[in-house]
């Protein structure tokens, strides 16, 4: 299996920067072991004007059969002959897609510590795949790649036998893509669409494939006109997984159309922390830290203030210790998305009785919020203009007065660690401010003293010795039934 990626450049911005973006040096030929063969990366040409990186995957066909993965369309076994005479050793497929994800892992994430601005910017790219199986022919290739920003999409049919042209074309095409795209976007498109065009996968499709699809399809799949076909084929027509993926993509589409954050991850940065082999999203680490703090506090009745699309509410529902869960948000659209995520109409009577979604503004007092054990403000305060913060403080700490309040917010000092975040930028366009650790502690200390709460601070994510954690969390615990305002 063979694929080339080419770009052009100038002496000021040489084409050999491609080596930095792929994390593979142009002067070296490298080999990587995969579960089904050996992947080689080499550079047939490397100059300031033009640079080409080639990925060659040597598949072990005998080993593939011995592992029991010699599968045909939809995962059905090939005939006995097809186990030994098939296209797996040379035609692009899910084997090549897996090799892409293995060899160019950082490039798919758009991460490049040496040249973050180059990784974030479009490049003049030319991608060639000499033999690509296309169940649907050249027309389907154009339908899949055409809407993705390429200036040129060529899908030249490969003759069944050049000696006998009257036999017609095979199901293979020679693919050429040309245009200006981010390298990460181009690689993610290939990762998804290679097995889609082949309409087969060489491995069992497990539920985690939905997450892989949504991660690789971020920014393009939710609006793709062939979304249903892509999703169905990528997931080997497993209807349950396809339905889940389609529902999640619809949530993404609705969220983006309404200008909301998607899955609590700021779109401006890649909020993952590289822990060993498996990066854990910062949003997930936040939720786990919040759940742990709520359990420690012994909270059963919990408010999620600024609940957005209901990710935290969903996590709370999975723990029977939380008996009364209320999600509050000012956006009706966000609450609609949350209701779909939680599938409220499908919940049993017992589960449905534990959760409620209500519309409301945190800038005003609300009697419905009184009497709860705990309230959570997760990534909320930074979306308010600073002059409006006192109103929120009184509504939560002075009026609702839960026994415990958890507040998380970005630590602006950590922003220098985000490779994809330009210097001087906040993590999301809607953030009105982002505080340093000292600024956050000063604010929390003042609020705690004013309203009668003790405050403790917890890092969320890796605690960098120089700049601290990516997220900072304050745990407020009520220490008095009265406030300074009550005694004034």
């Amino acid at each position: 299996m063979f694929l080339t990626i080419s770009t052009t450049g100038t002496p000021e911005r040489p084409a050999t920067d491609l080596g930095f973006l792929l994390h593979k040096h142009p002067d070296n030929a490298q080999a990587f072991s995969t579960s089904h063969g050996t992947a080689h990366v080499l550079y047939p040409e490397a100059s300031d004007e033009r640079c080409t990186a080639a990925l060659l995957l040597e598949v072990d066909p005998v080993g593939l059969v011995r592992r029991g993965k010699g599968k045909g369309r939809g995962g059905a076994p090939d005939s006995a002959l097809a186990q030994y005479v098939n296209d797996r050793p040379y035609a692009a497929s899910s084997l090549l897609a897996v090799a892409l994800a293995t060899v160019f892992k950082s490039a798919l994430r758009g991460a490049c510590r040496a040249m973050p601005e180059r990784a974030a910017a479009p490049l003049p790219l030319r991608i060639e795949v000499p033999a690509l199986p296309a169940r649907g022919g050249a027309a389907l290739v154009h339908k899949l790649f055409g809407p993705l920003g390429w200036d040129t999409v060529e899908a030249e049919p490969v003759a069944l036998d050049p000696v006998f042209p009257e036999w017609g074309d095979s199901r293979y095409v020679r693919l050429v893509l040309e245009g200006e795209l981010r390298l990460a976007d181009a690689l993610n498109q290939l990762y998804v669409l290679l097995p889609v065009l082949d309409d087969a996968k060489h491995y069992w499709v497990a539920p985690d494939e939905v997450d892989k699809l949504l991660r690789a399809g971020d920014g393009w799949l939710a609006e793709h006109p062939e979304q249903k076909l892509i999703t169905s084929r990528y997931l080997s027509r497993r209807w349950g997984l396809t339905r889940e993926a389609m529902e999640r993509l619809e949530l993404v589409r609705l969220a983006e159309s309404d200008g909301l954050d998607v899955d609590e991850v700021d779109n401006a940065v890649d909020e993952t922390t590289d822990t060993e082999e498996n990066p854990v999203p910062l949003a997930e680490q936040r939720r786990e830290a919040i759940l742990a703090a709520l359990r420690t506090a012994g909270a059963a009745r919990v408010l999620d203030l600024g609940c957005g699309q209901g990710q935290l509410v969903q996590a709370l529902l999975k723990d029977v210790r939380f008996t009364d869960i209320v999600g509050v948000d000012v956006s009706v659209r966000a609450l609609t998305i949350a209701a779909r995520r939680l599938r409220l109409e499908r919940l049993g009577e017992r589960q449905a009785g534990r959760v409620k979604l209500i519309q409301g503004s945190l800038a005003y007092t609300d009697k419905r919020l009184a009497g709860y054990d705990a309230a959570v403000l997760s990534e909320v305060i930074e979306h308010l203009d600073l002059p409006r913060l006192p109103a929120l403080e009184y509504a939560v700490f002075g009026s609702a007065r839960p026994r415990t309040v958890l507040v998380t917010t970005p630590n602006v000092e950590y922003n220098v660690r985000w490779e994809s975040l330009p210097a001087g930028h906040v993590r999301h366009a809607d953030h009105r401010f982002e505080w340093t650790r000292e600024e956050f502690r000063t604010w929390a200390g003042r609020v705690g003293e004013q309203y009668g709460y003790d405050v403790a601070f917890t890092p969320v994510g890796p605690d960098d010795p120089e700049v601290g954690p990516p997220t900072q969390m304050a745990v407020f615990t009520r220490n008095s039934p009265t406030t300074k305002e009550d005694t004034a």
Side-chain angles (χ1 to χ4, degrees):
M1 300 182 188
F2 191 67
L3 175 150
T4 61
I5 305 169
S6 302
T7 189
T8 56
T10 64
E12 294 75 26
R13 301 183 76 86
T16 49
D17 287 351
L18 182 64
F20 287 99
L21 303 182
L22 292 174
H23 298 262
K24 304 293 180 288
H25 199 287
D27 292 341
N28 300 330
Q30 297 175 266
F32 305 85
S33 178
T34 74
S35 55
H36 296 94
T38 303
H40 302 269
V41 178
L42 57 150
Y43 288 78
E45 56 182 340
S47 67
D48 289 352
E49 294 76 28
R50 184 174 175 83
C51 184
T52 298
L55 175 63
L56 171 65
L57 177 61
E58 285 187 294
V59 177
D60 177 8
V62 176
L64 186 64
V65 172
R66 285 175 178 170
R67 291 185 182 91
K69 301 298 184 181
K71 301 296 183 181
R73 185 173 181 266
D78 291 337
S79 67
L81 178 62
Q83 289 187 345
Y84 300 96
V85 183
N86 58 46
D87 64 2
R88 290 293 179 253
Y90 68 87
S93 68
S94 59
L95 290 166
L96 186 58
V98 171
L100 275 173
T102 302
V103 176
F104 299 137
K105 179 179 178 181
S106 296
L108 263 84
R109 297 204 327 266
C112 181
R113 191 179 297 276
M115 293 186 172
E117 74 289 346
R118 288 284 268 167
L123 298 176
L125 294 175
R126 178 184 173 90
I127 293 177
E128 296 187 49
V129 183
L132 175 64
R135 294 185 186 272
L140 181 59
V141 175
H142 285 277
K143 285 183 179 180
L144 296 184
F145 285 101
L148 297 179
W150 295 99
D151 297 329
T152 301
V153 178
E154 294 181 9
E156 178 185 348
V158 176
L160 195 62
D161 189 330
V163 179
F164 301 100
E166 64 272 15
W167 288 5
D169 296 329
S170 68
R171 71 182 185 95
Y172 303 95
V173 299
R174 172 179 170 268
L175 174 69
V176 177
L177 302 171
E178 290 185 314
E180 291 204 2
L181 276 79
R182 283 199 323 139
L183 179 63
D185 293 337
L187 293 175
N188 278 291
Q189 292 170 15
L190 290 168
Y191 174 77
V192 172
L193 297 180
L194 290 180
V196 166
L197 284 163
D198 191 17
D199 199 9
K201 282 200 169 184
H202 70 279
Y203 57 88
W204 173 251
V205 175
D208 65 348
E209 289 295 302
V210 175
D211 294 326
K212 294 178 184 178
L213 173 62
L214 268 63
R215 185 163 54 245
D218 182 36
W220 60 272
L221 183 55
E223 299 292 341
H224 199 290
E226 299 296 332
Q227 177 199 112
K228 186 174 182 180
L229 180 143
I230 293 170
T231 303
S232 175
R233 284 194 177 192
Y234 182 88
L235 297 170
S236 295
R237 292 185 170 82
R238 292 189 61 187
W239 168 239
L241 297 182
T242 301
R243 182 177 59 188
E244 178 189 345
M246 294 289 288
E247 289 177 350
R248 289 173 61 180
L249 285 167
E250 176 64 10
L251 293 176
V252 171
R253 189 188 66 77
L254 289 172
E256 291 178 345
S257 68
D258 204 43
L260 301 173
D261 289 349
V262 178
D263 199 26
E264 297 181 8
V265 181
D266 294 336
N267 294 329
V269 297
D270 176 19
E271 284 198 338
T272 59
T273 52
D274 293 327
T275 56
E276 303 299 332
E277 294 294 325
N278 300 311
V280 180
L282 182 56
E284 183 178 330
Q285 295 185 59
R286 272 198 299 265
R287 283 193 291 274
E288 288 303 317
I290 290 168
L291 291 171
L294 290 172
R295 292 169 187 140
T296 300
R301 306 182 69 236
V302 180
L303 296 167
D304 183 7
L305 304 177
C307 65
Q309 300 158 56
Q311 292 91 340
L312 178 58
V313 173
Q314 187 176 45
L316 290 166
L317 264 177
K318 294 177 182 178
D319 192 329
V320 295
R321 283 175 284 195
F322 304 114
T323 58
D324 189 358
I325 306 160
V326 177
V328 183
D329 204 280
V330 71
S331 169
V332 174
R333 175 62 68 87
L335 293 173
T336 300
I337 295 173
R340 292 183 184 178
R341 174 187 292 275
L342 299 170
R343 297 174 180 169
L344 291 183
E345 73 284 353
R346 303 181 192 175
L347 290 180
E349 184 178 349
R350 192 169 184 178
Q351 280 285 79
R354 294 174 56 210
V355 63
K356 182 167 55 177
L357 300 176
I358 62 176
Q359 194 270 339
S361 170
L362 301 182
Y364 302 96
T365 59
D366 191 333
K367 293 181 179 179
R368 297 175 297 176
L369 307 184
Y372 285 84
D373 299 329
V376 179
L377 290 158
S378 179
E379 310 300 284
V380 170
I381 61 173
E382 64 273 11
H383 291 273
L384 274 70
D385 292 316
L386 283 171
R388 300 185 65 189
L389 263 184
L392 176 143
E393 295 163 8
Y394 178 74
V396 176
F397 296 91
S399 177
R401 291 193 59 71
R403 190 171 67 244
T404 302
V405 180
L406 307 181
V407 180
T408 74
T409 192
N411 167 24
V412 71
E413 297 170 78
Y414 194 89
N415 286 359
V416 296
R417 297 292 188 255
W418 298 124
E419 295 180 350
S420 57
L421 184 64
H425 284 61
V426 292
R427 299 185 196 177
H428 189 274
D430 190 53
H431 286 185
R432 305 304 200 265
F433 61 87
E434 288 178 0
W435 278 334
T436 64
R437 288 168 289 173
E438 182 180 353
E439 288 171 328
F440 182 54
R441 286 173 178 265
T442 300
W443 173 82
R446 178 187 60 75
V447 171
E449 182 179 0
Q450 181 175 355
Y451 292 103
Y453 284 82
D454 295 325
V455 190
F457 298 92
T458 301
V460 179
D463 198 356
D464 189 287
E466 295 180 2
V467 297
T471 293
Q472 43 194 342
M473 180 167 74
V475 180
F476 295 81
T477 305
R478 195 175 63 204
N479 60 24
S480 170
T482 61
T483 69
K484 288 188 174 183
E485 292 183 352
D486 295 330
T487 58

